[in-house]
Amino acid sequence: MSDMNTPIVVVAYNRPRSLTRLLGSLSNARYPNKEIDLIISIDKANDNQKVLGIANAYEWDHGIKKVIYQEENLGLRKHILKCGNLSLEYGSVIILEDDLFVSPNFYFFVDQALKFSKNETKIGGISLYNHQLNVHTRDNFLPIQDGFDNWYFQFASSWGQAWSREQWSGFIKWYENDPDIDHNNNVPAYVRSWSAKSWLKYNIAYLVERDFYFLYPKIALSTNFSDAGTHVGNDSTIYQVPLDEGFQKEYQFSTVDQSK
C-alpha cells in the first residue's frame, strides 16, 4: 500500500434517493484527516440529471471530491472493475454501491484492516458488511465469538468492500485471463448461476481457486438497503443489519489460522 489515504469510491447509476442516503452517512462518519478523496462514479443512463445534480452539489469536507460520469453505459460488472482498478493508482480503494449506508466508524475499520492484511497472504479483500443470513439458505447466521473483531469467509463482499493494490491486482490479473468458472464445481452452483452481469461471482471463484478469504467484521460497518434498481425488482429490508455505532477503537484481528 502507498502512503496515500484510501479513497472512497461511490458507485452510482440512477437511484437519487439511494445516493442521497449514502452521502448523508458519509458526512456523519469519522475520518483521520482531511486528505481523503471521494470519487462519485456515475454510470451513463438516459435520465441521470437528478443523480448528477446530487453528486455535484454534495459538499465533501475531508479531501478532494471528484465526480466521474461514464461516457458509455458500462453495466455493473464493468463499472465495479473500473472502480476497483483505482486501487492500482491509489494503493487501495473502498467501494460503496449507492444503496448502502455506512457506520460512523467504517473508515477506521477499513484503514486498520488493510494495514493488518498487508502481510497476510490469504486475505483477498476486506468486507464492511457482516452477514446475518446464511447466503446459501437464508437461515439465520452468526459467526463464533472467538475474542476477535473479525471472521473469514471464502466469499467476496459486494455490500461495502475494500482492496489493497496487491489484493486487487492478483484478482484482476486472474480475471483478465478469462477464467471458465461455469465448470468449476468448487464454486457453489448457485454462484455460478448468477447472471453474466455479475462481477462478484468472479471474485468468489478467484478466492476459491486460490484458497483466499475475505476478512469480515463481527459487527457490520455497512448495511444494504436493497433498493429497487436494475438488479433488484423491489425494495427489501432482508439484508439490513445492525451497524457498529460505538466509540472509535483499535480492532483486534485474527489471522486466518487463528480464526475459529
Side-chain angles (χ1 to χ4, degrees), residues 129-143 151 153-156 159 188 190-191 194 204 216 238-241:
Y129 185 80
N130 180 39
H131 293 280
Q132 294 201 338
L133 293 176
N134 180 313
V135 295
H136 295 271
T137 65
R138 293 194 176 184
D139 292 325
N140 290 340
F141 166 80
L142 286 172
W151 61 287
F153 193 13
Q154 202 157 65
F155 195 92
W159 292 338
Y190 96 106
V191 172
W194 292 346
I204 291 169
Y216 277 77
I238 191 171
Y239 298 116
Q240 289 184 25
V241 293

Side-chain angles (χ1 to χ4, degrees), residues 10-65:
V10 169
V11 180
Y13 181 43
N14 61 355
R15 295 187 286 195
R17 178 184 62 149
S18 305
L19 181 60
T20 299
R21 185 178 55 221
L22 171 58
L23 294 176
S25 71
L26 290 174
S27 291
N28 290 327
R30 307 179 185 108
Y31 303 94
N33 54 51
K34 291 187 177 289
E35 298 175 355
I36 297 163
D37 284 5
L38 173 67
I39 300 163
I40 305 174
S41 180
I42 303 169
D43 203 6
K44 185 175 181 179
N46 291 331
D47 180 18
N48 252 352
Q49 293 310 306
K50 272 190 179 178
V51 169
L52 266 168
I54 291 164
N56 287 325
Y58 178 67
E59 293 186 7
W60 176 245
D61 298 329
H62 305 282
I64 297 169
K65 183 192 79 172

Side-chain angles (χ1 to χ4, degrees), residues 9-13 15 22 39 41-43 70 72-88 93-100 156-163 168 171-172 175 196-204 214 231:
V9 181
V10 169
V11 180
Y13 181 43
R15 295 187 286 195
L22 171 58
I39 300 163
S41 180
I42 303 169
D43 203 6
Q70 302 299 335
E72 59 174 325
N73 178 259
L74 297 174
L76 185 61
R77 178 167 146 192
K78 286 184 179 175
H79 197 185
I80 293 287
L81 294 176
K82 189 170 185 178
C83 291
N85 280 337
L86 291 169
S87 65
L88 306 178
V93 69
I94 299 168
I95 303 285
L96 301 172
E97 289 188 39
D98 56 8
D99 63 345
L100 302 177
S157 176
S158 64
W159 292 338
Q161 67 273 7
W163 290 280
W168 180 260
F171 164 62
I172 207 69
Y175 174 83
K197 297 174 182 175
S198 170
W199 67 270
L200 182 60
K201 69 178 184 179
Y202 286 93
N203 206 182
I204 291 169
F214 252 55
H231 304 285

Side-chain angles (χ1 to χ4, degrees), residues 204-215:
I204 291 169
Y206 167 73
L207 297 178
V208 170
E209 196 170 295
R210 296 291 169 87
D211 195 27
F212 291 167
Y213 296 83
F214 252 55
L215 183 155

